[in-house]
Amino acid sequence: DARSDGGPAFVYRLSLSTDIVVERAFPLGGQRGSRIALEYNGARSATVNMPASAKGSHLARVESSLPFVLDVGEFPEVREQDSPDPVRGNFLAVPSVGNGRIASPGEVDRWGFSARKGDALEFELRANRLGSPLLGVLAITDSTGKELAKAEPTTGDPSLKFSVPADGLYF
């Protein structure tokens, strides 16, 4: 133990294997009952079945890998596209899940969605708790780019509640 502690609760298992260790995967999850195209460890790809009965998380395997955790959702999933137009490329219907990645320092991903005045929307970023080093920031802007709400991480992934001020397109 790094703290030089010990006791009956300090148990572990040590495995020695030639199995693949999935260190990073994209996307970090998928819709319950779907098949997802998964990229892992930077250069490999596989298809993973998300069980229809799974809730919360699923232990997946690819090739001869050790099991790794994927997030399981109930909403339709959209994978980020390299498109400068979030209305045509990265558009989220309500409800849905957007899967993206910040591939280079300073990159900002922009997702579009439409909403009606008075809609109460909840945004939840899941990255850090799923093993990603990303400490993401959520910001909502109107179609002119004016920032209407923002949530930054404190100790984990940010979430944001947003009351829509007018019918329209938001990002």
Side-chain angles (χ1 to χ4, degrees), residues 92 113 121-125 138 140 158-162 171:
L92 295 174
F113 65 96
L121 302 176
E122 293 188 32
F123 296 84
E124 179 185 35
L125 185 66
L138 291 174
I140 308 292
S159 61
L160 178 66
K161 292 184 179 187
F162 178 64
F171 301 92

Side-chain angles (χ1 to χ4, degrees), residues 12-25:
Y12 66 90
R13 287 168 39 107
L14 175 64
S15 296
L16 176 61
S17 165
T18 58
D19 289 347
I20 296 168
V21 175
V22 175
E23 295 174 346
R24 59 190 180 279

